[in-house]
Amino acid sequence: MASDASTKSGGVLETIKTVVYALLIAGLFRSLLFQPFWIPSGSMKDTLLIGDFLFVNKFAYGYSYASCPSIPAVGIDAKKICAVFDGENKRLFGSEPERGDVVVFRHPVTGADFIKRVVGLPGDKVQMKNGVLHINGTAVKLEHGGVFTETMAPQGPQGGLPRCENGPVGQGGQCEKTRLIETLPGGVSHSILNIDNSFVDNTGVFSVPQGHYFFVGDNRDNSTDSRVTQSRGGVGFVPYENLIGRADRVMFSSAGRSMFAFWTWRSDRFFKAIE
């Protein structure tokens, strides 16, 4: 009969094996299928709010170096881990995004993860005129969508304050932004927000190169995106290989600084489709 010591040793070994297998399966799941993503900023309001949690569909566009995990803060760099796939702007099992998709991608310079909406496809000419998006010389359709309101208070783990069209607004006051419904060529409609007249409301014409995409945030006056070139601290054109995946649905949402603060959960956003 086996001793108690050997039985305990075998039990510990089995536990370790189980944990290792679970981590491997979780890593495979994250690398190949879905990647979790928390919304850290207000650049995609009101489509996405600070504290929304979603899974990014990685196989929507196939796989590239950007499909590998990347956590710059701790030195994990997708380009180093999957360098063999980097440099040719191609993807394995690749398919192209459609205009209007909400996409998570790697910033072409910093490697940080961004989430924005695709508005410009390869070969398109994109321009902003008086805050109105023009694609290939034609203004997109805009309709009034009412007013978006939120409380003037720190938001999310970073504790940032929202910008308001009716500002300045004191703590606890109602922060307002004009909401418009924008319809892109192809028929995708979504809401956008306006705060004020900013330098990105009027731009030159951007000619999107082949193999690249043009992204903007739905919160138009509070988004760092393709309207600003990389040399000026923006995003610029995003290569095809930098796409991580498509955001399809909000799984969970919390308005507080921690997901464990259950009294701040937004149950009306659980499993909400992203439009």
Side-chain angles (χ1 to χ4, degrees), residues 59 161 234 244 266:
F59 56 79
L161 295 173
I244 296 175
R266 305 183 187 106

Side-chain angles (χ1 to χ4, degrees), residues 243-266:
L243 308 185
I244 296 175
R246 187 181 65 218
D248 294 327
R249 189 175 295 274
V250 174
M251 303 303 294
F252 172 84
S253 185
S254 173
R257 304 196 69 171
S258 169
M259 65 177 293
F260 299 107
F262 62 87
W263 56 91
T264 66
W265 291 357
R266 305 183 187 106

Side-chain angles (χ1 to χ4, degrees), residues 21-48:
Y21 291 151
L23 290 174
L24 288 173
I25 292 171
L28 183 66
F29 181 84
R30 186 185 189 280
S31 296
L32 296 181
L33 301 177
F34 298 95
Q35 176 174 320
F37 191 84
W38 281 96
I39 303 301
S41 74
S43 69
M44 283 294 292
K45 291 178 181 177
D46 65 334
T47 303
L48 297 171

Side-chain angles (χ1 to χ4, degrees), residues 164-230:
C164 313
E165 187 177 16
N166 62 325
V169 175
Q171 286 280 339
Q174 287 299 296
C175 176
E176 298 180 353
K177 302 175 183 65
T178 297
R179 179 195 282 120
L180 299 169
I181 305 302
E182 180 180 83
T183 302
L184 300 172
V188 174
S189 295
H190 57 277
S191 65
I192 62 172
L193 301 181
N194 181 72
I195 302 173
D196 54 23
N197 294 319
S198 64
F199 74 99
V200 289
D201 283 336
N202 289 280
T203 70
V205 177
F206 297 93
S207 297
V208 186
Q210 292 300 315
H212 293 71
Y213 296 88
F214 194 96
F215 288 89
V216 295
D218 290 349
N219 192 359
R220 291 290 162 83
D221 296 316
N222 194 34
S223 173
T224 300
D225 50 43
S226 294
R227 294 172 294 174
V228 179
T229 62
Q230 295 162 17

